[in-house]
Amino acid sequence: MYKYDPIDQQIVNERVAQYRDQTRRYLAGELTDEEYRPLRLQNGLYIQRHAPMLRIAVPYGLISSKQMRKLGDIAKKYDRGYGHFSTRQNLQLNWPKLEDTPDILAELATVEMHAIQTSGNCIRNITTDQFAGIAPDEIIDPRAIAEIMRQWSTFHPEFALLPRKFKIAVSGTEKDRAIVQAHDIGLEFFKDAQEQMAIKVWVGGGLGRTPILGTVIREHLEWQHVLSYCEAVIRVYNIHGRRDNAYKARIKILVKALGIEEFKRQVEEEWAHLKDGPLTITQNELDRVAKYFEPMPYKTLPAHDASFDAAVASNPAFAAWVKRCVQPHRVPGYRAVTLSLKPHGKAPGDITSEQMHVVADLADAYSFGELRSSHEQNLILADVQVSDLFAVWEKARAAGLATPNIGLLTDIICCPGGDFCSLANAKSIPIAEAIQMQFDNLDYLYEIGDLELNISGCMNACGHHHVGHIGILGVDKDGSEWYQVTVGGKQGNDASIGSVIGPSFSAEEMPGVVQRLIEVYVRERQDEERFIDTVRRLGVAPFKAHVYAEKETA
Amino acid sequence: MSQLIQLAADGQASIVADAWTRVVPPAAGEESVRKQAGKVVLFKLTGEQTYTAEQIANTEIPATGKILVPLTIWQARKAELQSRLAAGELGIILATNETAEALQAEFPDLNTLPLIAVFVERFADGRIFTLGNWLRTRFGFKNELRAIGDVLRDQLFFHKRAGFNSFLIRADRSAEDALASLNDFSQPYQGGVADVPVWRRVNRA
């Protein structure tokens, strides 16, 4: 993974000093709440219901064992001994003290970490596929460009105060796992006819209050121009994006208002001035950064391991875990392991300090000392030898990190919701926990098969509910918490936004509602059809009919 | 004490006396406060009117000395301001909802102006950075480029890198304190108006 040189280190050190002084001035009354707000936000600090929340950047989801231990120690020293992995692959602390945040940042800086631009109206953490570099279907490893873009976007002097937040995702695989279509800019890397690295550029996607999938603004962009092109896009947005209404300020609204053709015309006009200028990435710089993402020193291994095969054959619990939590790897004899942060009945994405140390130890022992976080809020050991899988499983299971539910109904994506977040209309974690307990039967979960259930506590959609096969959105009706249900959302190349099935439900009704949606699926599915396939084939009507029929007779 | 910070050609910052008098139109007769979803609208959109005809007509312009005049005032009353321009006593204020193109339509060679100021009504309005960048790189403006309005020390580093070389700190804040923020970072990653990306600036290998 990328390692800081003295320039990177100086920037985070100077940031700590800058932020320490800003916080000092705020606490001394020299800065108003309104003036301090964008400053703290651009350092990941929210003022929440109970305490501030600090969001720590995990650039494109890559984290070392050393960093993970430091996060565990910070969570113990400054918080309540746990953290929460978010859908932007970052780590959130729910209970730090505002006065402590400069010290936390100083500790993070010692392990090449920061909280820069994890919130606020600026370019946010760039996200990607958690299997980048090892996925069998990967065409281009996008991480070097992602790192170059991270540096470019860090304290960008022109884009420090955009109309609204700006999210970029990169992906270099056949099967999109980074939801590039749901981002302000989505960069899809591919090899063009000349075998050169090229990028398909999507713009104007986003979830939130007005969910819109992105549109292709450029089919083919040479990688050298990715910074100048993004700069042109964001410049047009910075000038013309709405600032009078925060709900209409995302770039997607501007793209819709102008139409993609006119928006593209303005971008191309701007780009003509920037193209081939100093922003053009040199081969030298790409090579410098790319060397940090070279393949690990893999051993030459046989594709099969007899002891592993025997363990799968004789141990059903291990076999179930292998089926759900072990993913393919491009190198023979290696696999990726997803450590589930979704044990039934616990807040999705939460991890204790002790668990952080366990996963760091696992990474050191079995996976070259590195981990990844996924936007599905799990952790990944990307490079595990097949012969080590049983040992990894035993240790992960002992630490509560081996629930064999990856990709199943209980692998719920969920925002912190009304328990923590001051923006939320409704709680989300208790809903996730109740659904997990309703389906706390692995055989039944396997019978249901692949299903993505996403929950957001408000229309800001941190829980990506619009692209869940089943999406749940917390809404406020006359001061009480209700939940609106969508079906048919999907992430990936054929992404779609879910359709609302009807009037919303109370919290108590939710496990039953999900149960009834599943009943329709089990009744109607054909052959190997997944839940999403059945919804796409039949539409919303039969689901709606069953859910509300039950409701009326109840 | 002056509120004006100026960068010398060598980048050295100092607090200097302000030789320019800002021409401010009188308040509008009836300020219409727009609301959306119960929230007061805080930002003018691009192209939105800055001053009413009545405000422009009633604006008092000092008869002597260097004057800093809003673009809309110039557009409406340029006949009486021509001599000031010729004497090098005229600077123009561009609001963040106005465009650099509109300014250039009035002054095909922007360098006939000794001073352009960009007025930012609220510090969170990041259009000022793009405007600064454009004026320097696209429109080739070489003279004094000043940030005025809700100008606070925590944005100064960005203002500087976006091409501004003078900063009128908001009246209730110390310009002296603000000087420190101009040097928050010693080696920024990306290029600015006056420099190239770090990987073109230094050898990082």
Side-chain angles (χ1 to χ4, degrees), chain A residues 205-221:
Chain A
L207 300 175
R209 184 175 291 257
T210 315
I212 297 175
L213 293 176
T215 313
V216 176
I217 184 168
R218 197 169 177 88
E219 290 283 352
H220 183 283
L221 179 72

mmCIF file of all heavy atoms in Angstrom, chain A residues 205-221:
data_model
loop_
_atom_site.group_PDB
_atom_site.id
_atom_site.type_symbol
_atom_site.label_atom_id
_atom_site.label_comp_id
_atom_site.label_asym_id
_atom_site.label_seq_id
_atom_site.Cartn_x
_atom_site.Cartn_y
_atom_site.Cartn_z
ATOM 1 N N GLY A 205 -24.286 11.041 -10.692
ATOM 2 C CA GLY A 205 -25.018 10.041 -9.926
ATOM 3 C C GLY A 205 -25.010 10.427 -8.457
ATOM 4 O O GLY A 205 -24.209 11.248 -8.025
ATOM 5 N N GLY A 206 -25.910 9.844 -7.713
ATOM 6 C CA GLY A 206 -25.901 10.117 -6.281
ATOM 7 C C GLY A 206 -27.173 9.591 -5.667
ATOM 8 O O GLY A 206 -28.191 9.483 -6.348
ATOM 9 N N LEU A 207 -27.110 9.259 -4.402
ATOM 10 C CA LEU A 207 -28.301 8.751 -3.734
ATOM 11 C C LEU A 207 -28.958 9.932 -3.043
ATOM 12 O O LEU A 207 -29.370 10.856 -3.712
ATOM 13 C CB LEU A 207 -27.902 7.592 -2.820
ATOM 14 C CG LEU A 207 -27.252 6.436 -3.619
ATOM 15 C CD1 LEU A 207 -26.745 5.343 -2.705
ATOM 16 C CD2 LEU A 207 -28.221 5.870 -4.638
ATOM 17 N N GLY A 208 -29.052 9.918 -1.743
ATOM 18 C CA GLY A 208 -29.598 11.083 -1.064
ATOM 19 C C GLY A 208 -31.064 11.315 -1.366
ATOM 20 O O GLY A 208 -31.788 10.410 -1.760
ATOM 21 N N ARG A 209 -31.482 12.555 -1.194
ATOM 22 C CA ARG A 209 -32.894 12.916 -1.297
ATOM 23 C C ARG A 209 -33.457 12.641 -2.684
ATOM 24 O O ARG A 209 -34.611 12.270 -2.844
ATOM 25 C CB ARG A 209 -33.012 14.410 -0.958
ATOM 26 C CG ARG A 209 -34.403 14.939 -0.934
ATOM 27 C CD ARG A 209 -34.372 16.380 -0.479
ATOM 28 N NE ARG A 209 -33.995 16.492 0.921
ATOM 29 C CZ ARG A 209 -34.859 16.734 1.905
ATOM 30 N NH1 ARG A 209 -36.129 16.897 1.642
ATOM 31 N NH2 ARG A 209 -34.448 16.827 3.142
ATOM 32 N N THR A 210 -32.629 12.898 -3.710
ATOM 33 C CA THR A 210 -33.068 12.696 -5.083
ATOM 34 C C THR A 210 -32.155 11.659 -5.721
ATOM 35 O O THR A 210 -31.139 12.018 -6.298
ATOM 36 C CB THR A 210 -32.957 14.027 -5.874
ATOM 37 O OG1 THR A 210 -33.475 15.077 -5.071
ATOM 38 C CG2 THR A 210 -33.719 13.953 -7.179
ATOM 39 N N PRO A 211 -32.485 10.381 -5.613
ATOM 40 C CA PRO A 211 -31.564 9.368 -6.153
ATOM 41 C C PRO A 211 -31.547 9.372 -7.673
ATOM 42 O O PRO A 211 -32.598 9.327 -8.309
ATOM 43 C CB PRO A 211 -32.133 8.051 -5.620
ATOM 44 C CG PRO A 211 -33.572 8.328 -5.365
ATOM 45 C CD PRO A 211 -33.663 9.774 -4.983
ATOM 46 N N ILE A 212 -30.363 9.480 -8.238
ATOM 47 C CA ILE A 212 -30.207 9.501 -9.689
ATOM 48 C C ILE A 212 -28.962 8.678 -10.013
ATOM 49 O O ILE A 212 -27.924 8.843 -9.373
ATOM 50 C CB ILE A 212 -30.008 10.948 -10.198
ATOM 51 C CG1 ILE A 212 -31.241 11.817 -9.901
ATOM 52 C CG2 ILE A 212 -29.720 10.962 -11.700
ATOM 53 C CD1 ILE A 212 -31.073 13.290 -10.266
ATOM 54 N N LEU A 213 -29.065 7.830 -11.004
ATOM 55 C CA LEU A 213 -27.870 7.122 -11.456
ATOM 56 C C LEU A 213 -27.126 8.024 -12.431
ATOM 57 O O LEU A 213 -27.722 8.825 -13.151
ATOM 58 C CB LEU A 213 -28.250 5.804 -12.115
ATOM 59 C CG LEU A 213 -28.861 4.762 -11.157
ATOM 60 C CD1 LEU A 213 -29.305 3.520 -11.919
ATOM 61 C CD2 LEU A 213 -27.887 4.378 -10.052
ATOM 62 N N GLY A 214 -25.816 7.892 -12.451
ATOM 63 C CA GLY A 214 -24.992 8.760 -13.273
ATOM 64 C C GLY A 214 -25.207 8.538 -14.760
ATOM 65 O O GLY A 214 -25.805 7.556 -15.193
ATOM 66 N N THR A 215 -24.693 9.506 -15.532
ATOM 67 C CA THR A 215 -24.748 9.426 -16.985
ATOM 68 C C THR A 215 -23.308 9.415 -17.493
ATOM 69 O O THR A 215 -22.442 10.046 -16.888
ATOM 70 C CB THR A 215 -25.445 10.686 -17.553
ATOM 71 O OG1 THR A 215 -26.627 10.917 -16.803
ATOM 72 C CG2 THR A 215 -25.801 10.509 -19.011
ATOM 73 N N VAL A 216 -23.073 8.726 -18.593
ATOM 74 C CA VAL A 216 -21.718 8.735 -19.157
ATOM 75 C C VAL A 216 -21.483 10.087 -19.821
ATOM 76 O O VAL A 216 -22.234 10.489 -20.700
ATOM 77 C CB VAL A 216 -21.536 7.605 -20.184
ATOM 78 C CG1 VAL A 216 -20.155 7.691 -20.823
ATOM 79 C CG2 VAL A 216 -21.726 6.256 -19.517
ATOM 80 N N ILE A 217 -20.460 10.784 -19.367
ATOM 81 C CA ILE A 217 -20.137 12.081 -19.976
ATOM 82 C C ILE A 217 -18.999 11.916 -20.970
ATOM 83 O O ILE A 217 -18.847 12.697 -21.896
ATOM 84 C CB ILE A 217 -19.822 13.148 -18.899
ATOM 85 C CG1 ILE A 217 -19.575 14.514 -19.543
ATOM 86 C CG2 ILE A 217 -18.659 12.755 -18.018
ATOM 87 C CD1 ILE A 217 -19.539 15.665 -18.577
ATOM 88 N N ARG A 218 -18.190 10.873 -20.767
ATOM 89 C CA ARG A 218 -17.113 10.630 -21.706
ATOM 90 C C ARG A 218 -16.828 9.134 -21.767
ATOM 91 O O ARG A 218 -16.556 8.507 -20.745
ATOM 92 C CB ARG A 218 -15.852 11.398 -21.281
ATOM 93 C CG ARG A 218 -14.867 11.509 -22.407
ATOM 94 C CD ARG A 218 -13.732 12.461 -22.149
ATOM 95 N NE ARG A 218 -12.861 12.371 -23.301
ATOM 96 C CZ ARG A 218 -12.989 13.106 -24.395
ATOM 97 N NH1 ARG A 218 -13.906 14.031 -24.454
ATOM 98 N NH2 ARG A 218 -12.191 12.919 -25.423
ATOM 99 N N GLU A 219 -16.912 8.575 -22.946
ATOM 100 C CA GLU A 219 -16.737 7.131 -23.097
ATOM 101 C C GLU A 219 -15.272 6.719 -22.964
ATOM 102 O O GLU A 219 -14.972 5.634 -22.497
ATOM 103 C CB GLU A 219 -17.251 6.663 -24.474
ATOM 104 C CG GLU A 219 -18.757 6.712 -24.624
ATOM 105 C CD GLU A 219 -19.464 5.566 -23.918
ATOM 106 O OE1 GLU A 219 -18.785 4.642 -23.439
ATOM 107 O OE2 GLU A 219 -20.700 5.620 -23.833
ATOM 108 N N HIS A 220 -14.376 7.591 -23.397
ATOM 109 C CA HIS A 220 -12.962 7.227 -23.437
ATOM 110 C C HIS A 220 -12.114 8.417 -23.015
ATOM 111 O O HIS A 220 -12.059 9.425 -23.711
ATOM 112 C CB HIS A 220 -12.586 6.786 -24.856
ATOM 113 C CG HIS A 220 -11.152 6.332 -24.980
ATOM 114 N ND1 HIS A 220 -10.100 7.213 -25.035
ATOM 115 C CD2 HIS A 220 -10.613 5.088 -25.053
ATOM 116 C CE1 HIS A 220 -8.957 6.531 -25.145
ATOM 117 N NE2 HIS A 220 -9.240 5.252 -25.163
ATOM 118 N N LEU A 221 -11.498 8.290 -21.870
ATOM 119 C CA LEU A 221 -10.581 9.336 -21.398
ATOM 120 C C LEU A 221 -9.233 8.673 -21.146
ATOM 121 O O LEU A 221 -9.149 7.675 -20.431
ATOM 122 C CB LEU A 221 -11.107 9.952 -20.099
ATOM 123 C CG LEU A 221 -10.242 11.040 -19.468
ATOM 124 C CD1 LEU A 221 -10.296 12.325 -20.292
ATOM 125 C CD2 LEU A 221 -10.685 11.339 -18.038
#
